[in-house]
Amino acid sequence: MQRTHNWTTQEWVEADRKHHMRPFTDYVEAKTGSARIVTRAEGIYTFDTEGNEVLDGMAGLWCTNVGYGRKELADAAYSQMMELPYYNTFFNSAHKPSIELAGVLAELTPDGLDHAFYASSGSEANDTIVRMVRHYWNMKGKPAKKTFISREYAYHGTTMAAASLGGMSGMHGQADLPLPGFEHVMPPYWYAFGGDMTPEEFGMAAAKAVEDKILELGADKVAAFIGEPIQGAGAVIIPPETYWPEIQRICKKHDVLLIADEVICGFGRTGNWFGSQTFDIKPDLMPIAKGLTSGYIPLSAVMTTDDIVDTLGKGGEFQHGFTYSGHPVACAVALANIDVIKRENLVERTRTDTGPYLSEKLAELQDHPLVGEVRSVGLIGAIELTKNKETRELFEPMGEVGAKCKSHCMANGLIMRSTRDVMVMSPPLIITRAEIDIMIERARKGLDATAKEIGVA
Ligand SMILES: *Cc1c(COP(=O)(O)O)cnc(C)c1O
Protein backbone atom coordinates (compact mmCIF):
# COMPACT_ATOMS: atom_id res chain seq x y z
CA MET A 1 0.00 0.00 0.00
CA GLN A 2 1.33 3.35 -1.08
CA ARG A 3 1.65 6.12 1.49
CA THR A 4 -1.33 8.30 0.76
CA HIS A 5 -1.05 11.31 2.97
CA ASN A 6 0.44 13.62 0.37
CA TRP A 7 -1.58 12.69 -2.71
CA THR A 8 -2.86 15.45 -4.97
CA THR A 9 -6.59 15.98 -5.28
CA GLN A 10 -6.49 14.26 -8.65
CA GLU A 11 -4.82 11.18 -7.18
CA TRP A 12 -7.48 10.95 -4.48
CA VAL A 13 -10.23 11.36 -7.04
CA GLU A 14 -8.81 8.62 -9.24
CA ALA A 15 -8.38 6.18 -6.36
CA ASP A 16 -11.96 6.94 -5.29
CA ARG A 17 -13.24 6.17 -8.80
CA LYS A 18 -11.33 2.93 -8.95
CA HIS A 19 -12.11 1.28 -5.62
CA HIS A 20 -14.72 3.13 -3.61
CA MET A 21 -18.44 2.41 -4.12
CA ARG A 22 -20.17 5.39 -2.55
CA PRO A 23 -23.81 5.11 -1.34
CA PHE A 24 -26.63 6.67 -3.37
CA THR A 25 -24.25 7.12 -6.31
CA ASP A 26 -24.60 6.53 -10.05
CA TYR A 27 -21.66 4.20 -10.75
CA VAL A 28 -21.44 5.09 -14.43
CA GLU A 29 -21.21 8.81 -13.65
CA ALA A 30 -18.79 8.05 -10.81
CA LYS A 31 -16.26 6.60 -13.27
CA THR A 32 -15.57 10.05 -14.63
CA GLY A 33 -17.00 12.26 -11.88
CA SER A 34 -15.00 13.91 -9.14
CA ALA A 35 -15.99 13.51 -5.52
CA ARG A 36 -15.30 16.44 -3.23
CA ILE A 37 -12.62 15.06 -0.91
CA VAL A 38 -13.36 16.52 2.52
CA THR A 39 -10.30 16.68 4.71
CA ARG A 40 -11.34 18.36 7.93
CA ALA A 41 -14.04 20.44 9.55
CA GLU A 42 -14.31 22.98 12.33
CA GLY A 43 -17.44 24.48 13.85
CA ILE A 44 -19.90 24.69 10.95
CA TYR A 45 -17.29 24.75 8.17
CA THR A 46 -15.87 21.91 6.09
CA PHE A 47 -12.59 22.01 4.15
CA ASP A 48 -11.45 19.93 1.19
CA THR A 49 -8.28 18.96 -0.66
CA GLU A 50 -8.62 22.08 -2.82
CA GLY A 51 -8.63 24.28 0.26
CA ASN A 52 -12.28 25.33 -0.19
CA GLU A 53 -14.11 26.40 2.95
CA VAL A 54 -17.75 25.39 2.66
CA LEU A 55 -20.46 26.14 5.24
CA ASP A 56 -22.18 22.88 6.15
CA GLY A 57 -25.85 23.78 5.96
CA MET A 58 -26.74 20.08 6.41
CA ALA A 59 -24.79 19.16 9.57
CA GLY A 60 -23.22 16.32 7.60
CA LEU A 61 -26.31 14.19 7.02
CA TRP A 62 -28.54 15.91 9.59
CA CYS A 63 -26.28 14.74 12.40
CA THR A 64 -23.43 16.96 13.61
CA ASN A 65 -25.65 18.85 16.03
CA VAL A 66 -22.75 20.04 18.23
CA GLY A 67 -20.65 20.98 15.20
CA TYR A 68 -17.21 19.78 14.23
CA GLY A 69 -13.99 19.65 16.20
CA ARG A 70 -15.42 19.03 19.68
CA LYS A 71 -12.53 17.82 21.81
CA GLU A 72 -14.82 16.54 24.61
CA LEU A 73 -16.24 13.91 22.27
CA ALA A 74 -12.81 12.81 21.07
CA ASP A 75 -11.54 12.64 24.66
CA ALA A 76 -14.53 10.54 25.72
CA ALA A 77 -13.80 8.06 22.91
CA TYR A 78 -10.10 7.95 23.76
CA SER A 79 -10.60 7.33 27.49
CA GLN A 80 -13.25 4.70 26.88
CA MET A 81 -11.05 2.90 24.34
CA MET A 82 -8.21 2.78 26.84
CA GLU A 83 -10.49 1.49 29.61
CA LEU A 84 -12.79 -0.89 27.76
CA PRO A 85 -12.81 -0.58 23.96
CA TYR A 86 -15.36 -3.32 23.44
CA TYR A 87 -17.45 -5.80 25.20
CA ASN A 88 -20.78 -7.25 24.12
CA THR A 89 -24.09 -6.83 25.89
CA PHE A 90 -25.42 -10.29 25.02
CA PHE A 91 -25.35 -13.16 27.54
CA ASN A 92 -26.15 -11.27 30.69
CA SER A 93 -23.39 -8.64 30.48
CA ALA A 94 -23.45 -4.88 30.34
CA HIS A 95 -21.04 -2.04 30.95
CA LYS A 96 -21.17 1.37 32.54
CA PRO A 97 -21.55 3.59 29.43
CA SER A 98 -24.47 1.58 28.00
CA ILE A 99 -26.27 1.55 31.36
CA GLU A 100 -25.63 5.21 32.08
CA LEU A 101 -26.74 6.35 28.63
CA ALA A 102 -29.97 4.31 28.82
CA GLY A 103 -30.86 6.19 32.02
CA VAL A 104 -30.05 9.57 30.48
CA LEU A 105 -32.16 8.76 27.41
CA ALA A 106 -35.09 7.59 29.55
CA GLU A 107 -34.91 10.96 31.31
CA LEU A 108 -34.71 13.09 28.14
CA THR A 109 -37.30 11.31 25.99
CA PRO A 110 -41.06 11.84 26.46
CA ASP A 111 -42.75 10.19 29.46
CA GLY A 112 -43.20 6.48 29.24
CA LEU A 113 -40.24 5.79 26.95
CA ASP A 114 -38.03 4.35 29.67
CA HIS A 115 -36.14 1.57 27.92
CA ALA A 116 -33.35 1.69 25.34
CA PHE A 117 -32.39 -1.08 22.90
CA TYR A 118 -29.14 -0.17 21.11
CA ALA A 119 -28.00 -0.64 17.52
CA SER A 120 -25.56 1.26 15.33
CA SER A 121 -27.72 2.96 12.68
CA GLY A 122 -31.17 4.35 12.14
CA SER A 123 -31.88 1.52 9.71
CA GLU A 124 -30.99 -1.09 12.31
CA ALA A 125 -33.15 0.68 14.87
CA ASN A 126 -36.11 0.52 12.49
CA ASP A 127 -35.45 -3.14 11.66
CA THR A 128 -35.39 -3.76 15.39
CA ILE A 129 -38.76 -2.06 15.69
CA VAL A 130 -40.26 -4.32 13.02
CA ARG A 131 -39.01 -7.32 14.99
CA MET A 132 -40.33 -5.94 18.27
CA VAL A 133 -43.74 -5.00 16.92
CA ARG A 134 -44.35 -8.34 15.21
CA HIS A 135 -43.35 -10.26 18.32
CA TYR A 136 -45.42 -7.90 20.49
CA TRP A 137 -48.66 -8.60 18.62
CA ASN A 138 -47.92 -12.34 18.67
CA MET A 139 -47.56 -12.16 22.44
CA LYS A 140 -50.77 -10.12 22.67
CA GLY A 141 -52.55 -13.01 20.96
CA LYS A 142 -53.23 -10.96 17.82
CA PRO A 143 -50.91 -12.59 15.27
CA ALA A 144 -52.86 -11.12 12.33
CA LYS A 145 -51.97 -7.58 13.39
CA LYS A 146 -48.81 -7.26 11.30
CA THR A 147 -49.11 -4.51 8.68
CA PHE A 148 -47.16 -1.26 9.00
CA ILE A 149 -48.58 1.95 7.61
CA SER A 150 -46.18 4.68 6.54
CA ARG A 151 -46.19 7.64 4.17
CA GLU A 152 -44.93 8.35 0.68
CA TYR A 153 -41.64 10.28 0.76
CA ALA A 154 -40.89 8.82 4.20
CA TYR A 155 -37.29 7.87 4.92
CA HIS A 156 -36.63 5.24 7.55
CA GLY A 157 -33.32 3.82 6.32
CA THR A 158 -32.01 1.49 3.72
CA THR A 159 -32.07 -2.11 4.95
CA MET A 160 -34.83 -4.29 3.48
CA ALA A 161 -37.30 -3.64 6.30
CA ALA A 162 -36.35 0.02 6.80
CA ALA A 163 -36.62 0.72 3.06
CA SER A 164 -40.01 -1.03 3.07
CA LEU A 165 -41.13 1.28 5.87
CA GLY A 166 -39.81 4.16 3.78
CA GLY A 167 -41.85 5.62 0.96
CA MET A 168 -39.12 6.27 -1.60
CA SER A 169 -40.26 4.80 -4.90
CA GLY A 170 -36.74 4.79 -6.37
CA MET A 171 -35.48 2.62 -3.54
CA HIS A 172 -38.49 0.33 -3.78
CA GLY A 173 -38.04 -0.11 -7.52
CA GLN A 174 -34.50 -1.42 -7.28
CA ALA A 175 -35.10 -4.11 -4.68
CA ASP A 176 -38.65 -5.37 -5.29
CA LEU A 177 -39.88 -3.52 -2.24
CA PRO A 178 -41.84 -2.95 -0.18
CA LEU A 179 -41.88 -6.39 1.41
CA PRO A 180 -45.40 -7.73 2.08
CA GLY A 181 -47.05 -6.03 5.04
CA PHE A 182 -45.92 -2.45 4.39
CA GLU A 183 -48.45 0.12 3.12
CA HIS A 184 -48.04 3.77 2.26
CA VAL A 185 -50.42 6.73 2.28
CA MET A 186 -50.26 10.40 1.29
CA PRO A 187 -47.86 12.52 3.37
CA PRO A 188 -49.04 15.74 5.07
CA TYR A 189 -47.34 17.77 2.33
CA TRP A 190 -49.59 20.75 1.83
CA TYR A 191 -47.45 22.60 -0.73
CA ALA A 192 -47.51 19.71 -3.19
CA PHE A 193 -50.82 18.00 -2.46
CA GLY A 194 -52.96 20.54 -0.57
CA GLY A 195 -54.66 22.00 -3.66
CA ASP A 196 -57.25 24.58 -2.61
CA MET A 197 -57.53 23.36 0.97
CA THR A 198 -56.14 25.41 3.84
CA PRO A 199 -53.16 23.75 5.54
CA GLU A 200 -55.42 22.92 8.52
CA GLU A 201 -58.04 21.26 6.32
CA PHE A 202 -55.33 19.40 4.47
CA GLY A 203 -53.74 18.18 7.72
CA MET A 204 -57.07 16.53 8.58
CA ALA A 205 -57.35 15.06 5.08
CA ALA A 206 -53.83 13.60 5.26
CA ALA A 207 -54.62 12.06 8.67
CA LYS A 208 -57.86 10.69 7.27
CA ALA A 209 -55.78 8.89 4.61
CA VAL A 210 -54.25 6.91 7.48
CA GLU A 211 -57.62 6.06 8.99
CA ASP A 212 -59.02 5.11 5.58
CA LYS A 213 -56.08 2.75 5.10
CA ILE A 214 -56.68 1.18 8.53
CA LEU A 215 -60.36 0.67 7.70
CA GLU A 216 -59.51 -0.73 4.27
CA LEU A 217 -57.05 -3.27 5.70
CA GLY A 218 -59.07 -3.90 8.87
CA ALA A 219 -57.78 -2.62 12.22
CA ASP A 220 -57.22 -6.24 13.27
CA LYS A 221 -54.51 -6.44 10.57
CA VAL A 222 -52.69 -3.18 11.31
CA ALA A 223 -49.73 -3.33 13.69
CA ALA A 224 -48.34 0.18 13.68
CA PHE A 225 -48.12 3.57 12.04
CA ILE A 226 -44.66 5.11 11.58
CA GLY A 227 -43.89 8.75 10.88
CA GLU A 228 -41.07 11.22 11.24
CA PRO A 229 -42.46 14.21 13.19
CA ILE A 230 -41.10 16.27 10.26
CA GLN A 231 -40.22 14.25 7.16
CA GLY A 232 -36.55 15.11 6.61
CA ALA A 233 -35.20 13.34 3.54
CA GLY A 234 -38.62 13.72 1.91
CA ALA A 235 -37.72 17.45 1.74
CA VAL A 236 -38.59 18.80 5.17
CA ILE A 237 -42.31 18.16 5.06
CA ILE A 238 -43.71 20.03 8.06
CA PRO A 239 -47.21 18.76 8.84
CA PRO A 240 -50.03 21.24 9.42
CA GLU A 241 -50.92 21.65 13.12
CA THR A 242 -54.04 19.55 12.77
CA TYR A 243 -52.18 16.44 11.60
CA TRP A 244 -50.43 14.86 14.59
CA PRO A 245 -53.27 15.22 17.13
CA GLU A 246 -55.57 13.50 14.66
CA ILE A 247 -53.02 10.72 13.98
CA GLN A 248 -52.70 10.24 17.71
CA ARG A 249 -56.47 9.89 18.05
CA ILE A 250 -56.71 7.46 15.12
CA CYS A 251 -53.93 5.18 16.39
CA LYS A 252 -55.47 5.06 19.83
CA LYS A 253 -58.95 4.37 18.52
CA HIS A 254 -57.82 1.45 16.34
CA ASP A 255 -55.25 0.00 18.76
CA VAL A 256 -52.40 0.71 16.36
CA LEU A 257 -48.91 1.32 17.79
CA LEU A 258 -47.43 4.73 17.04
CA ILE A 259 -43.78 4.97 16.04
CA ALA A 260 -42.17 8.42 15.89
CA ASP A 261 -38.95 8.18 13.87
CA GLU A 262 -36.81 10.80 15.61
CA VAL A 263 -33.56 10.00 13.81
CA ILE A 264 -33.45 13.56 12.41
CA CYS A 265 -35.83 15.44 14.72
CA GLY A 266 -34.16 14.22 17.92
CA PHE A 267 -31.53 15.99 20.00
CA GLY A 268 -32.68 19.56 19.59
CA ARG A 269 -33.26 19.87 15.87
CA THR A 270 -36.83 21.19 16.20
CA GLY A 271 -36.19 23.28 19.32
CA ASN A 272 -37.10 20.58 21.83
CA TRP A 273 -35.14 17.49 22.72
CA PHE A 274 -37.48 15.51 20.46
CA GLY A 275 -39.88 16.34 17.65
CA SER A 276 -42.51 14.41 19.60
CA GLN A 277 -42.41 17.21 22.19
CA THR A 278 -42.70 19.90 19.51
CA PHE A 279 -45.79 18.20 18.02
CA ASP A 280 -47.14 16.66 21.24
CA ILE A 281 -46.86 13.08 19.97
CA LYS A 282 -47.00 10.19 22.43
CA PRO A 283 -45.19 7.38 20.66
CA ASP A 284 -44.95 3.75 21.75
CA LEU A 285 -41.60 3.35 20.02
CA MET A 286 -39.00 5.91 19.05
CA PRO A 287 -35.91 5.22 16.95
CA ILE A 288 -33.04 7.67 17.54
CA ALA A 289 -29.61 7.95 15.88
CA LYS A 290 -27.76 10.78 14.05
CA GLY A 291 -27.78 13.62 16.64
CA LEU A 292 -27.42 11.05 19.46
CA THR A 293 -23.63 11.17 18.92
CA SER A 294 -23.64 14.15 16.54
CA GLY A 295 -22.43 11.60 14.00
CA TYR A 296 -18.98 11.35 15.64
CA ILE A 297 -19.42 7.59 15.91
CA PRO A 298 -22.28 5.28 14.85
CA LEU A 299 -24.95 4.65 17.47
CA SER A 300 -28.71 4.30 17.47
CA ALA A 301 -31.38 3.16 19.88
CA VAL A 302 -35.03 2.24 20.07
CA MET A 303 -36.75 3.87 23.02
CA THR A 304 -39.89 2.11 24.19
CA THR A 305 -42.41 1.55 26.97
CA ASP A 306 -42.99 -0.80 29.91
CA ASP A 307 -45.92 -2.34 28.01
CA ILE A 308 -43.75 -3.32 25.04
CA VAL A 309 -40.89 -4.60 27.17
CA ASP A 310 -43.19 -6.61 29.45
CA THR A 311 -45.07 -8.08 26.51
CA LEU A 312 -41.89 -9.07 24.66
CA GLY A 313 -40.80 -10.73 27.90
CA LYS A 314 -43.73 -13.15 27.71
CA GLY A 315 -42.03 -14.88 24.78
CA GLY A 316 -38.86 -15.85 26.62
CA GLU A 317 -35.59 -14.52 25.27
CA PHE A 318 -35.97 -11.78 22.64
CA GLN A 319 -33.86 -13.28 19.89
CA HIS A 320 -32.43 -10.15 18.41
CA GLY A 321 -29.34 -7.97 18.82
CA PHE A 322 -26.15 -6.77 17.20
CA THR A 323 -22.48 -7.40 17.98
CA TYR A 324 -22.21 -3.65 18.53
CA SER A 325 -25.45 -3.12 20.50
CA GLY A 326 -24.53 -0.65 23.23
CA HIS A 327 -20.93 -0.28 22.05
CA PRO A 328 -19.11 1.25 25.04
CA VAL A 329 -17.13 3.79 23.00
CA ALA A 330 -20.21 4.95 21.11
CA CYS A 331 -22.21 5.25 24.34
CA ALA A 332 -19.40 7.25 25.98
CA VAL A 333 -19.36 9.64 23.02
CA ALA A 334 -23.17 9.98 23.18
CA LEU A 335 -22.94 10.91 26.87
CA ALA A 336 -20.29 13.56 26.09
CA ASN A 337 -22.41 14.84 23.19
CA ILE A 338 -25.50 15.17 25.40
CA ASP A 339 -23.39 17.00 27.99
CA VAL A 340 -22.33 19.55 25.37
CA ILE A 341 -25.92 20.03 24.18
CA LYS A 342 -27.05 20.64 27.78
CA ARG A 343 -24.13 22.82 28.84
CA GLU A 344 -24.42 25.08 25.80
CA ASN A 345 -28.23 25.20 26.00
CA LEU A 346 -28.43 24.23 22.36
CA VAL A 347 -32.01 23.00 22.57
CA GLU A 348 -33.39 26.14 24.15
CA ARG A 349 -31.25 28.36 21.96
CA THR A 350 -32.66 26.63 18.88
CA ARG A 351 -36.22 27.10 20.14
CA THR A 352 -36.00 30.71 21.31
CA ASP A 353 -33.17 32.31 19.36
CA THR A 354 -31.52 30.73 16.32
CA GLY A 355 -34.61 28.83 15.13
CA PRO A 356 -36.87 31.91 15.03
CA TYR A 357 -33.98 33.87 13.49
CA LEU A 358 -33.56 31.32 10.71
CA SER A 359 -37.28 31.54 10.02
CA GLU A 360 -37.05 35.37 9.79
CA LYS A 361 -34.10 35.21 7.43
CA LEU A 362 -35.74 32.55 5.26
CA ALA A 363 -38.79 34.80 4.93
CA GLU A 364 -36.54 37.37 3.28
CA LEU A 365 -36.01 34.91 0.42
CA GLN A 366 -39.74 34.69 -0.22
CA ASP A 367 -39.57 37.56 -2.74
CA HIS A 368 -37.14 35.65 -4.96
CA PRO A 369 -38.69 34.70 -8.32
CA LEU A 370 -37.79 31.00 -7.89
CA VAL A 371 -39.11 30.66 -4.34
CA GLY A 372 -42.61 29.26 -3.87
CA GLU A 373 -42.50 28.71 -0.12
CA VAL A 374 -40.02 28.79 2.73
CA ARG A 375 -40.66 26.74 5.85
CA SER A 376 -38.78 25.83 9.01
CA VAL A 377 -39.12 24.61 12.57
CA GLY A 378 -36.15 25.10 14.85
CA LEU A 379 -33.06 24.52 12.72
CA ILE A 380 -34.56 22.39 9.99
CA GLY A 381 -35.83 24.23 6.96
CA ALA A 382 -36.59 24.19 3.26
CA ILE A 383 -36.90 26.46 0.27
CA GLU A 384 -39.44 25.17 -2.20
CA LEU A 385 -38.51 26.20 -5.76
CA THR A 386 -41.38 26.73 -8.17
CA LYS A 387 -42.17 27.57 -11.74
CA ASN A 388 -45.18 29.64 -10.70
CA LYS A 389 -45.50 31.25 -7.29
CA GLU A 390 -49.30 31.60 -7.57
CA THR A 391 -50.26 28.13 -8.76
CA ARG A 392 -47.40 26.29 -6.96
CA GLU A 393 -46.56 24.63 -10.28
CA LEU A 394 -43.67 22.15 -10.11
CA PHE A 395 -40.76 22.05 -12.53
CA GLU A 396 -40.49 19.36 -15.17
CA PRO A 397 -38.54 17.21 -15.27
CA MET A 398 -38.52 17.22 -11.50
CA GLY A 399 -35.19 17.71 -9.76
CA GLU A 400 -33.13 19.44 -12.45
CA VAL A 401 -33.51 22.97 -11.17
CA GLY A 402 -32.88 21.79 -7.61
CA ALA A 403 -29.67 20.08 -8.69
CA LYS A 404 -28.52 23.23 -10.47
CA CYS A 405 -29.27 25.29 -7.39
CA LYS A 406 -27.34 22.87 -5.20
CA SER A 407 -24.25 23.27 -7.45
CA HIS A 408 -24.56 27.04 -7.45
CA CYS A 409 -24.83 27.05 -3.65
CA MET A 410 -21.73 24.87 -3.43
CA ALA A 411 -19.88 27.25 -5.77
CA ASN A 412 -20.86 30.00 -3.34
CA GLY A 413 -19.57 28.14 -0.30
CA LEU A 414 -22.75 26.53 1.01
CA ILE A 415 -23.80 22.92 1.29
CA MET A 416 -27.56 22.57 0.97
CA ARG A 417 -29.19 19.41 -0.23
CA SER A 418 -31.69 19.36 -3.06
CA THR A 419 -34.55 16.89 -2.94
CA ARG A 420 -36.70 17.05 -6.03
CA ASP A 421 -36.77 20.86 -6.41
CA VAL A 422 -36.66 21.65 -2.74
CA MET A 423 -33.52 23.04 -1.12
CA VAL A 424 -33.22 21.63 2.37
CA MET A 425 -31.11 22.71 5.31
CA SER A 426 -30.32 21.48 8.77
CA PRO A 427 -27.22 23.28 10.04
CA PRO A 428 -25.32 22.34 13.21
CA LEU A 429 -27.18 23.63 16.28
CA ILE A 430 -24.13 25.66 17.31
CA ILE A 431 -24.72 27.99 14.36
CA THR A 432 -24.85 31.65 15.43
CA ARG A 433 -27.04 34.47 14.12
CA ALA A 434 -24.05 35.90 12.24
CA GLU A 435 -23.43 32.52 10.65
CA ILE A 436 -27.11 32.21 9.70
CA ASP A 437 -26.69 35.57 7.91
CA ILE A 438 -23.78 34.11 5.96
CA MET A 439 -25.74 30.94 5.17
CA ILE A 440 -28.75 32.87 3.83
CA GLU A 441 -26.56 35.30 1.89
CA ARG A 442 -24.87 32.36 0.16
CA ALA A 443 -28.24 30.71 -0.47
CA ARG A 444 -29.46 33.90 -2.16
CA LYS A 445 -26.39 33.96 -4.39
CA GLY A 446 -27.06 30.33 -5.31
CA LEU A 447 -30.70 31.14 -6.10
CA ASP A 448 -29.71 34.16 -8.21
CA ALA A 449 -27.20 32.13 -10.21
CA THR A 450 -29.84 29.41 -10.75
CA ALA A 451 -32.45 31.94 -11.91
CA LYS A 452 -29.92 33.40 -14.31
CA GLU A 453 -28.99 29.98 -15.69
CA ILE A 454 -32.58 28.95 -16.40
CA GLY A 455 -33.57 32.40 -17.63
CA VAL A 456 -35.97 33.48 -14.87
CA ALA A 457 -35.93 37.17 -14.00
C1 LIG B 1 -31.10 8.75 8.28
C2 LIG B 1 -32.43 8.24 8.72
C3 LIG B 1 -32.63 6.90 9.01
C4 LIG B 1 -31.59 5.85 8.74
O1 LIG B 1 -30.44 6.01 9.49
P1 LIG B 1 -29.09 5.28 9.01
O2 LIG B 1 -28.18 5.52 10.18
O3 LIG B 1 -28.64 5.95 7.76
O4 LIG B 1 -29.40 3.85 8.82
C5 LIG B 1 -33.85 6.52 9.53
N1 LIG B 1 -34.82 7.40 9.75
C6 LIG B 1 -34.67 8.71 9.45
C7 LIG B 1 -35.79 9.66 9.74
C8 LIG B 1 -33.48 9.16 8.91
O5 LIG B 1 -33.34 10.45 8.58
Side-chain angles (χ1 to χ4, degrees), residues 212-261:
D212 288 348
K213 182 57 85 176
I214 293 172
L215 295 173
E216 174 198 323
L217 298 166
D220 56 333
K221 301 271 170 32
V222 179
F225 171 79
I226 184 168
E228 303 152 75
I230 293 173
Q231 283 173 255
V236 186
I237 300 172
I238 301 171
E241 277 177 19
T242 47
Y243 183 75
W244 275 114
E246 183 64 4
I247 292 288
Q248 188 82 49
R249 183 193 70 75
I250 291 165
C251 287
K252 195 160 189 227
K253 176 169 172 205
H254 298 287
D255 200 15
V256 165
L257 294 170
L258 178 52
I259 306 159
D261 184 337

Side-chain angles (χ1 to χ4, degrees), residues 121-123 126 155-157 228 261 263-264 290:
S121 69
S123 302
N126 279 321
Y155 190 80
H156 299 295
E228 303 152 75
D261 184 337
V263 171
I264 287 177
K290 296 193 171 126

